[in-house]
Amino acid sequence: MAQVRRSRALVVVNTHFQSNHGDEVPGIRSGAKPEAKKLFKVLSRLNYAVELVHNKTAKEIEDLYRQERCHQHGEFFVSIISSHGEDGVIFGCDWEPVKLSRLFRILSSEKCPALRKIPKIFFIQACRGKALDQGVFVEADSGDPKPERDPEYLLDFSIPPQTVVTFACSPGYAAFLNPSGSMFLQALLKVLEGEERHLDLIRLLTRVNGKVAFHCQARGIFQGCKQMPCFITNLQEEVFPFSA
């Protein structure tokens, strides 16, 4: 009897940064490393073959995704990136930018036939700007609240077929991380460790959104600030990637 191939998960976590051009870089991303270990354990229990890597340069990150064309894949491909970022960009540990659209193109059907029919699921824990979400107060029967700011950000990239991309925050906003972990990935861990992991992916991601929006807020100097994850998808059917 042929052995069923395990789905793959690639987890990229950058915690230490150093610029080759003398630019000032942020300090250590405390909390990201132990959070990554938890993700490794949870995904492994869900029968994923997990590759966990730390502190990779921009070029090394791109090379990791190019190497996926050489691996054997099961039903799904999951990738988690935890780093500093801007809208549409994450940073390597050398403080060089990596366009997310470039990573997605690397896994397109033309460049990576091995993943052509396999759902590709990305979780991006990184800032998408510098704006802080102060949250809103909603009263029952008060009508639709007016937006406080006009949308200024549009997604400037396309995603390959059979792809879902989930961001820790909305375009233009910051994503929070503290020594105990990030709002976004901690919420994801809670879902994956509970019965909600059996849900269809879109319902599962909506549960993650709700946990972050209603049960999380920043601490310290950003006390009270909120965060709202969001996702884009072009899946054409329900998938259950974590119902192992």
Side-chain angles (χ1 to χ4, degrees):
M1 182 176 179
Q3 185 177 5
V4 177
R5 292 178 180 174
R6 298 172 69 190
S7 294
R8 277 185 52 79
L10 174 61
V11 182
V12 181
V13 182
N14 284 343
T15 56
H16 295 67
F17 297 84
Q18 183 175 355
S19 171
N20 295 326
H21 308 293
D23 300 325
E24 183 179 352
V25 299
I28 298 173
R29 297 181 65 242
S30 299
K33 189 172 182 179
E35 185 173 70
K37 291 181 180 179
K38 293 179 182 178
L39 288 164
F40 178 90
K41 292 179 180 178
V42 169
L43 289 170
S44 297
R45 287 201 300 266
L46 296 177
N47 203 34
Y48 278 82
V50 186
E51 182 176 356
L52 172 60
V53 296
H54 294 276
N55 296 318
K56 296 298 181 181
T57 66
K59 182 181 183 304
E60 288 171 336
I61 291 172
E62 291 189 14
D63 288 343
L64 283 168
Y65 286 91
R66 291 190 183 94
Q67 291 166 15
E68 287 303 320
R69 70 188 68 175
C70 303
H71 291 292
Q72 292 187 336
H73 291 272
E75 292 185 86
F76 305 99
F77 172 72
V78 170
S79 186
I80 300 173
I81 301 175
S82 178
S83 186
H84 286 298
E86 297 174 353
D87 201 26
V89 168
I90 58 98
F91 288 98
C93 67
D94 55 352
W95 205 239
E96 293 293 332
V98 180
K99 288 187 176 181
L100 291 172
S101 58
R102 185 173 178 84
L103 297 184
F104 301 149
R105 282 197 297 272
I106 289 173
L107 300 182
S108 65
S109 300
E110 297 77 15
K111 296 184 180 295
C112 188
L115 288 171
R116 186 177 68 243
K117 297 181 180 180
I118 295 174
K120 295 164 281 292
I121 305 160
F122 292 85
F123 298 92
I124 311 297
Q125 168 57 41
C127 291
R128 303 179 71 187
K130 297 181 180 179
L132 300 178
D133 189 342
Q134 303 296 337
V136 296
F137 293 96
V138 179
E139 296 180 4
D141 301 324
S142 62
D144 295 332
K146 294 181 179 180
E148 295 184 0
R149 61 196 294 272
D150 295 327
E152 300 173 353
Y153 298 88
L154 295 174
L155 292 171
D156 61 352
F157 56 82
S158 60
I159 58 177
Q162 290 288 86
T163 300
V164 178
V165 184
T166 304
F167 296 94
C169 55
S170 301
Y173 283 91
F176 294 102
L177 174 74
N178 59 56
S180 62
S182 63
M183 294 183 186
F184 175 54
L185 293 181
Q186 289 298 308
L188 176 63
L189 278 166
K190 288 181 180 178
V191 169
L192 297 184
E193 290 171 335
E195 292 303 309
E196 291 169 306
R197 71 180 186 276
H198 298 297
L199 293 172
D200 157 64
L201 179 61
I202 301 307
R203 292 183 63 194
L204 183 150
L205 295 179
T206 303
R207 298 289 179 94
V208 172
N209 283 6
K211 290 181 186 298
V212 175
F214 293 110
H215 303 294
C216 298
Q217 66 178 22
R219 298 182 292 191
I221 62 174
F222 300 114
Q223 178 70 38
C225 288
K226 304 288 288 183
Q227 188 174 311
M228 186 66 242
C230 59
F231 58 85
I232 56 175
T233 176
N234 59 16
L235 292 179
Q236 299 174 2
E237 58 186 8
E238 293 183 337
V239 296
F240 301 84
F242 305 112
S243 186

